[in-house]
PDB file of all heavy atoms in Angstrom:
ATOM      1  N   ASN A1064     -11.690   6.237  -2.106  1.00 96.00           N
ATOM      2  CA  ASN A1064     -10.855   5.426  -3.002  1.00 96.00           C
ATOM      3  C   ASN A1064      -9.633   4.874  -2.279  1.00 96.00           C
ATOM      4  O   ASN A1064      -9.216   3.734  -2.520  1.00 96.00           O
ATOM      5  CB  ASN A1064     -10.416   6.256  -4.210  1.00 96.00           C
ATOM      6  CG  ASN A1064     -11.557   6.554  -5.160  1.00 96.00           C
ATOM      7  OD1 ASN A1064     -12.569   5.858  -5.168  1.00 96.00           O
ATOM      8  ND2 ASN A1064     -11.405   7.595  -5.949  1.00 96.00           N
ATOM      9  N   ILE A1067     -10.831   1.964  -0.256  1.00 96.00           N
ATOM     10  CA  ILE A1067     -11.201   0.842  -1.126  1.00 96.00           C
ATOM     11  C   ILE A1067      -9.948   0.122  -1.621  1.00 96.00           C
ATOM     12  O   ILE A1067      -9.872  -1.119  -1.606  1.00 96.00           O
ATOM     13  CB  ILE A1067     -12.060   1.322  -2.313  1.00 96.00           C
ATOM     14  CG1 ILE A1067     -13.439   1.773  -1.826  1.00 96.00           C
ATOM     15  CG2 ILE A1067     -12.211   0.220  -3.357  1.00 96.00           C
ATOM     16  CD1 ILE A1067     -14.297   2.394  -2.904  1.00 96.00           C
ATOM     17  N   ILE A1068      -8.965   0.895  -2.091  1.00 96.00           N
ATOM     18  CA  ILE A1068      -7.709   0.297  -2.546  1.00 96.00           C
ATOM     19  C   ILE A1068      -7.039  -0.464  -1.412  1.00 96.00           C
ATOM     20  O   ILE A1068      -6.567  -1.601  -1.588  1.00 96.00           O
ATOM     21  CB  ILE A1068      -6.770   1.390  -3.105  1.00 96.00           C
ATOM     22  CG1 ILE A1068      -7.346   1.981  -4.389  1.00 96.00           C
ATOM     23  CG2 ILE A1068      -5.377   0.817  -3.363  1.00 96.00           C
ATOM     24  CD1 ILE A1068      -6.572   3.183  -4.905  1.00 96.00           C
ATOM     25  N   TRP A1142      -9.742  -1.604 -19.977  1.00 94.00           N
ATOM     26  CA  TRP A1142      -9.773  -1.719 -18.530  1.00 94.00           C
ATOM     27  C   TRP A1142      -9.721  -0.377 -17.820  1.00 94.00           C
ATOM     28  O   TRP A1142     -10.487  -0.132 -16.888  1.00 94.00           O
ATOM     29  CB  TRP A1142      -8.610  -2.603 -18.057  1.00 94.00           C
ATOM     30  CG  TRP A1142      -8.750  -4.024 -18.480  1.00 94.00           C
ATOM     31  CD1 TRP A1142      -8.211  -4.625 -19.582  1.00 94.00           C
ATOM     32  CD2 TRP A1142      -9.530  -5.032 -17.825  1.00 94.00           C
ATOM     33  NE1 TRP A1142      -8.585  -5.931 -19.659  1.00 94.00           N
ATOM     34  CE2 TRP A1142      -9.394  -6.216 -18.583  1.00 94.00           C
ATOM     35  CE3 TRP A1142     -10.304  -5.055 -16.672  1.00 94.00           C
ATOM     36  CZ2 TRP A1142     -10.010  -7.405 -18.234  1.00 94.00           C
ATOM     37  CZ3 TRP A1142     -10.919  -6.238 -16.308  1.00 94.00           C
ATOM     38  CH2 TRP A1142     -10.777  -7.388 -17.073  1.00 94.00           C
ATOM     39  N   PHE A1146     -13.095  -0.061 -16.088  1.00 95.00           N
ATOM     40  CA  PHE A1146     -12.893  -0.502 -14.698  1.00 95.00           C
ATOM     41  C   PHE A1146     -11.596   0.105 -14.153  1.00 95.00           C
ATOM     42  O   PHE A1146     -10.652  -0.623 -13.833  1.00 95.00           O
ATOM     43  CB  PHE A1146     -12.839  -2.032 -14.624  1.00 95.00           C
ATOM     44  CG  PHE A1146     -13.991  -2.722 -15.282  1.00 95.00           C
ATOM     45  CD1 PHE A1146     -13.849  -3.271 -16.537  1.00 95.00           C
ATOM     46  CD2 PHE A1146     -15.223  -2.800 -14.645  1.00 95.00           C
ATOM     47  CE1 PHE A1146     -14.916  -3.910 -17.160  1.00 95.00           C
ATOM     48  CE2 PHE A1146     -16.295  -3.430 -15.258  1.00 95.00           C
ATOM     49  CZ  PHE A1146     -16.147  -3.985 -16.519  1.00 95.00           C
ATOM     50  N   PRO A1147     -11.534   1.419 -14.038  1.00 95.00           N
ATOM     51  CA  PRO A1147     -10.261   2.063 -13.664  1.00 95.00           C
ATOM     52  C   PRO A1147      -9.774   1.700 -12.271  1.00 95.00           C
ATOM     53  O   PRO A1147      -8.601   1.369 -12.086  1.00 95.00           O
ATOM     54  CB  PRO A1147     -10.572   3.560 -13.791  1.00 95.00           C
ATOM     55  CG  PRO A1147     -12.064   3.665 -13.651  1.00 95.00           C
ATOM     56  CD  PRO A1147     -12.613   2.408 -14.249  1.00 95.00           C
ATOM     57  N   LEU A1148     -10.664   1.756 -11.278  1.00 96.00           N
ATOM     58  CA  LEU A1148     -10.235   1.487  -9.910  1.00 96.00           C
ATOM     59  C   LEU A1148      -9.851   0.025  -9.733  1.00 96.00           C
ATOM     60  O   LEU A1148      -8.863  -0.292  -9.065  1.00 96.00           O
ATOM     61  CB  LEU A1148     -11.334   1.878  -8.926  1.00 96.00           C
ATOM     62  CG  LEU A1148     -10.940   1.887  -7.445  1.00 96.00           C
ATOM     63  CD1 LEU A1148      -9.794   2.871  -7.203  1.00 96.00           C
ATOM     64  CD2 LEU A1148     -12.125   2.252  -6.561  1.00 96.00           C
ATOM     65  N   ALA A1149     -10.625  -0.864 -10.336  1.00 96.00           N
ATOM     66  CA  ALA A1149     -10.290  -2.292 -10.262  1.00 96.00           C
ATOM     67  C   ALA A1149      -8.957  -2.581 -10.938  1.00 96.00           C
ATOM     68  O   ALA A1149      -8.189  -3.444 -10.477  1.00 96.00           O
ATOM     69  CB  ALA A1149     -11.403  -3.124 -10.902  1.00 96.00           C
ATOM     70  N   SER A1150      -8.649  -1.867 -11.999  1.00 96.00           N
ATOM     71  CA  SER A1150      -7.375  -2.055 -12.695  1.00 96.00           C
ATOM     72  C   SER A1150      -6.209  -1.628 -11.810  1.00 96.00           C
ATOM     73  O   SER A1150      -5.184  -2.314 -11.744  1.00 96.00           O
ATOM     74  CB  SER A1150      -7.365  -1.253 -14.000  1.00 96.00           C
ATOM     75  OG  SER A1150      -8.426  -1.651 -14.852  1.00 96.00           O
ATOM     76  N   VAL A1151      -6.360  -0.491 -11.147  1.00 96.00           N
ATOM     77  CA  VAL A1151      -5.310  -0.029 -10.240  1.00 96.00           C
ATOM     78  C   VAL A1151      -5.129  -1.020  -9.094  1.00 96.00           C
ATOM     79  O   VAL A1151      -3.998  -1.351  -8.699  1.00 96.00           O
ATOM     80  CB  VAL A1151      -5.641   1.377  -9.706  1.00 96.00           C
ATOM     81  CG1 VAL A1151      -4.670   1.778  -8.602  1.00 96.00           C
ATOM     82  CG2 VAL A1151      -5.609   2.398 -10.832  1.00 96.00           C
ATOM     83  N   ILE A1152      -6.232  -1.520  -8.555  1.00 97.00           N
ATOM     84  CA  ILE A1152      -6.163  -2.499  -7.469  1.00 97.00           C
ATOM     85  C   ILE A1152      -5.437  -3.754  -7.928  1.00 97.00           C
ATOM     86  O   ILE A1152      -4.617  -4.325  -7.189  1.00 97.00           O
ATOM     87  CB  ILE A1152      -7.581  -2.832  -6.972  1.00 97.00           C
ATOM     88  CG1 ILE A1152      -8.183  -1.636  -6.233  1.00 97.00           C
ATOM     89  CG2 ILE A1152      -7.561  -4.061  -6.069  1.00 97.00           C
ATOM     90  CD1 ILE A1152      -9.642  -1.799  -5.895  1.00 97.00           C
ATOM     91  N   ALA A1153      -5.704  -4.199  -9.153  1.00 96.00           N
ATOM     92  CA  ALA A1153      -5.046  -5.401  -9.675  1.00 96.00           C
ATOM     93  C   ALA A1153      -3.536  -5.201  -9.771  1.00 96.00           C
ATOM     94  O   ALA A1153      -2.753  -6.095  -9.414  1.00 96.00           O
ATOM     95  CB  ALA A1153      -5.622  -5.753 -11.047  1.00 96.00           C
ATOM     96  N   THR A1227      -3.769   6.153 -14.920  1.00 94.00           N
ATOM     97  CA  THR A1227      -5.045   6.865 -15.073  1.00 94.00           C
ATOM     98  C   THR A1227      -4.967   8.348 -14.754  1.00 94.00           C
ATOM     99  O   THR A1227      -5.899   9.080 -15.085  1.00 94.00           O
ATOM    100  CB  THR A1227      -6.113   6.246 -14.145  1.00 94.00           C
ATOM    101  OG1 THR A1227      -5.707   6.411 -12.778  1.00 94.00           O
ATOM    102  CG2 THR A1227      -6.298   4.765 -14.435  1.00 94.00           C
ATOM    103  N   GLY A1230      -8.028   9.613 -13.064  1.00 89.00           N
ATOM    104  CA  GLY A1230      -9.293   9.576 -13.780  1.00 89.00           C
ATOM    105  C   GLY A1230      -9.792   8.169 -14.015  1.00 89.00           C
ATOM    106  O   GLY A1230      -9.251   7.210 -13.456  1.00 89.00           O
ATOM    107  N   ALA A1234     -12.238   9.044 -10.502  1.00 94.00           N
ATOM    108  CA  ALA A1234     -12.566   7.654 -10.180  1.00 94.00           C
ATOM    109  C   ALA A1234     -11.426   6.918  -9.505  1.00 94.00           C
ATOM    110  O   ALA A1234     -11.655   5.992  -8.720  1.00 94.00           O
ATOM    111  CB  ALA A1234     -12.981   6.903 -11.455  1.00 94.00           C
ATOM    112  N   THR A1235     -10.183   7.295  -9.785  1.00 95.00           N
ATOM    113  CA  THR A1235      -9.034   6.615  -9.174  1.00 95.00           C
ATOM    114  C   THR A1235      -8.172   7.582  -8.363  1.00 95.00           C
ATOM    115  O   THR A1235      -7.016   7.264  -8.050  1.00 95.00           O
ATOM    116  CB  THR A1235      -8.160   5.942 -10.251  1.00 95.00           C
ATOM    117  OG1 THR A1235      -7.751   6.932 -11.207  1.00 95.00           O
ATOM    118  CG2 THR A1235      -8.923   4.840 -10.954  1.00 95.00           C
ATOM    119  N   THR A1236      -8.699   8.733  -8.035  1.00 95.00           N
ATOM    120  CA  THR A1236      -7.947   9.693  -7.228  1.00 95.00           C
ATOM    121  C   THR A1236      -7.970   9.272  -5.769  1.00 95.00           C
ATOM    122  O   THR A1236      -9.035   9.216  -5.161  1.00 95.00           O
ATOM    123  CB  THR A1236      -8.551  11.105  -7.361  1.00 95.00           C
ATOM    124  OG1 THR A1236      -8.481  11.530  -8.734  1.00 95.00           O
ATOM    125  CG2 THR A1236      -7.795  12.098  -6.496  1.00 95.00           C
TER     126      THR A1236
END
Side-chain angles (χ1 to χ4, degrees):
N1064 289 339
I1067 291 174
I1068 293 173
W1142 293 95
F1146 308 101
L1148 190 60
S1150 301
V1151 171
I1152 290 171
T1227 63
T1235 56
T1236 299

